[in-house]
Amino acid sequence: MMNLTKLIFFLMLMFSTLFSISTNSWINCWMGMELNLFSFITLIFNQNLFNLESTIKYFIIQAITSMFMLVSIMLYTQNMFEFNLMLLNLSLFMKLNSSPFHYWGVNLIQGLTWQNLTIFLTWQKIIPLILIFYNFNMMMMIIFIIMNSLFGSIEGLNQTNLKKIILFSSINHMSWMLMIFFLNENLWLGYFMIYSMILMIIIIYNYMLNNIKITQLYSIKMNTLNNFFMMMNLLSLGGLPPFLGFIPKWITINLMVMNNFYFLSFMMVMCSLLTLFFYLRLFYSSTFLLSFKIKWIMTMNLKNFFILNTLSFISMTSLILSCML
């Protein structure tokens, strides 16, 4: 019965997202987002102290942003277009967990399971992203792109919690998504699908190994093939060439240079290198240090990793594709 209930609310979550992005009325968009909020809260709720705290935090933040969004919709009839546009965009960026409004997300993810974290970092970003570009403001967009790129890369350097590392990497990826959405909407869809696939594979690996901290990587011994595929996906998410995660960033850089965004492209590349650094820390921890034959290291039975390794092999196709490009 519990699984059936979660399935119903999961389908409701999907339907509310499709409803919000396909309607032509702001009130309907707001109603779809409220239905999405109700569905996601039901999915993440559990009889656990940390989970209950995360549920309450998520509800309060989403309720406040929904109130701001509803007020901005009502101001459309009051000849206050500039203030209304700013208020609506700020509420959507807060829902998106974008910098500098990302601190509620940092506290929230502590009580989320790996499955719910996947939904929070992928599917829950679709509605705010698309609604932001319904009322586009160039200056505000550049400001938020810069802040996402800087905060997502710098604040992730001193983190030891794997969930927080993935969250700050997601904030950095948000700057690339905003930029490529501005340049080409169709390419944004490809970027989002590649990012979601790689992130999902990494999260499933950590879920099966029950990893929370970087230090736990020292106490798990995987065979060479599984370790190779996991590290390859980490480097791909960081955007290291010639892996699959580098190709959408490469396309974004080319479009930015063609549109004369030289300084912005340079800054985003430098910040992306910082995010690659804390993925290289994970690569060093679970590859080089585990090459020593330490007796107390726990050996995992990873027969169930066959499907994950098959999905991870998709990243290798970018080696051929990048050479062709």
Side-chain angles (χ1 to χ4, degrees):
M1 182 60 66
M2 181 58 67
N3 292 333
L4 180 61
T5 303
K6 288 186 178 294
L7 177 61
I8 292 173
F9 283 105
F10 183 76
L11 294 176
M12 191 182 300
L13 184 77
M14 301 291 179
F15 168 76
S16 60
T17 302
L18 298 177
F19 176 75
S20 292
I21 65 177
S22 60
T23 183
N24 57 358
S25 170
W26 281 108
I27 293 295
N28 290 338
C29 290
W30 176 78
M31 291 175 61
M33 295 183 76
E34 293 302 303
L35 184 61
N36 180 275
L37 166 65
F38 175 70
S39 304
F40 188 63
I41 285 180
T42 309
L43 289 175
I44 67 176
F45 178 74
N46 194 4
Q47 296 295 333
N48 181 286
L49 181 61
F50 293 105
N51 187 273
L52 181 60
E53 181 183 354
S54 298
T55 306
I56 295 174
K57 287 179 180 178
Y58 186 79
F59 173 76
I60 292 174
I61 294 296
Q62 295 298 317
I64 293 173
T65 55
S66 296
M67 180 186 66
F68 287 156
M69 182 178 178
L70 188 60
V71 170
S72 64
I73 294 172
M74 295 169 60
L75 290 178
Y76 263 119
T77 60
Q78 303 297 324
N79 296 323
M80 302 176 65
F81 183 72
E82 291 297 330
F83 178 75
N84 158 65
L85 185 65
M86 182 183 68
L87 185 61
L88 182 58
N89 278 330
L90 288 177
S91 65
L92 291 174
F93 276 116
M94 190 179 294
K95 280 183 175 291
L96 194 58
N97 192 37
S98 172
S99 294
F101 310 117
H102 65 282
Y103 292 104
W104 67 270
V106 177
N107 297 322
L108 172 74
I109 61 171
Q110 298 291 343
L112 295 183
T113 61
W114 285 108
Q115 299 95 319
N116 293 328
L117 182 64
T118 307
I119 300 175
F120 177 70
L121 294 179
T122 54
W123 188 263
Q124 292 299 96
K125 295 183 181 295
I126 295 177
I127 299 179
L129 266 176
I130 294 179
L131 293 187
I132 283 171
F133 285 89
Y134 283 169
N135 54 327
F136 182 78
N137 187 302
M138 183 63 188
M139 183 58 64
M140 182 178 292
M141 188 64 60
I142 292 178
I143 292 173
F144 275 96
I145 287 174
I146 294 174
M147 286 193 296
N148 277 291
S149 185
L150 289 175
F151 280 95
S153 58
I154 295 175
E155 292 193 21
L157 292 175
N158 62 343
Q159 300 295 331
T160 59
N161 189 296
L162 290 174
K163 290 183 179 180
K164 289 186 178 181
I165 289 176
I166 292 175
L167 175 67
F168 284 115
S169 175
S170 174
I171 293 173
N172 181 266
H173 276 281
M174 187 55 55
S175 63
W176 292 88
M177 290 186 195
L178 291 172
M179 195 69 222
I180 199 171
F181 207 151
F182 165 66
L183 298 172
N184 192 309
E185 295 181 7
N186 296 325
L187 292 177
W188 168 80
L189 182 60
Y191 189 110
F192 185 79
M193 291 178 64
I194 292 174
Y195 160 76
S196 300
M197 182 192 71
I198 299 174
L199 181 67
M200 195 177 304
I201 293 173
I202 292 174
I203 288 179
I204 294 175
Y205 267 113
N206 287 304
Y207 167 71
M208 296 183 70
L209 295 173
N210 197 22
N211 286 336
I212 299 295
K213 299 282 187 178
I214 294 180
T215 52
Q216 290 180 266
L217 294 174
Y218 298 104
S219 60
I220 296 175
K221 183 175 177 57
M222 294 190 293
N223 61 50
T224 305
L225 184 62
N226 293 324
N227 194 23
F228 169 73
F229 278 126
M230 182 178 179
M231 293 306 107
M232 183 183 63
N233 281 283
L234 283 172
L235 298 179
S236 180
L237 186 64
L240 182 71
F243 295 111
L244 182 62
F246 170 70
I247 293 180
K249 289 188 175 182
W250 187 10
I251 297 173
T252 307
I253 294 171
N254 287 331
L255 291 176
M256 292 172 69
V257 172
M258 291 172 59
N259 289 274
N260 300 321
F261 291 105
Y262 299 112
F263 174 76
L264 193 59
S265 61
F266 174 77
M267 189 210 66
M268 291 174 65
V269 169
M270 291 298 104
C271 292
S272 183
L273 289 176
L274 291 178
T275 61
L276 184 60
F277 170 75
F278 50 76
Y279 281 121
L280 285 174
R281 283 195 306 170
L282 300 179
F283 179 82
Y284 177 78
S285 300
S286 55
T287 303
F288 293 102
L289 295 182
L290 288 184
S291 62
F292 301 100
K293 303 299 182 181
I294 303 175
K295 294 182 179 180
W296 51 263
I297 287 181
M298 180 177 59
T299 303
M300 299 292 294
N301 184 11
L302 300 178
K303 294 181 180 179
N304 295 329
F305 276 45
F306 175 76
I307 298 177
L308 278 180
N309 293 339
T310 304
L311 291 175
S312 300
F313 189 74
I314 299 175
S315 298
M316 295 298 294
T317 58
S318 62
L319 296 173
I320 302 174
L321 184 58
S322 60
C323 293
M324 293 174 60
L325 292 175

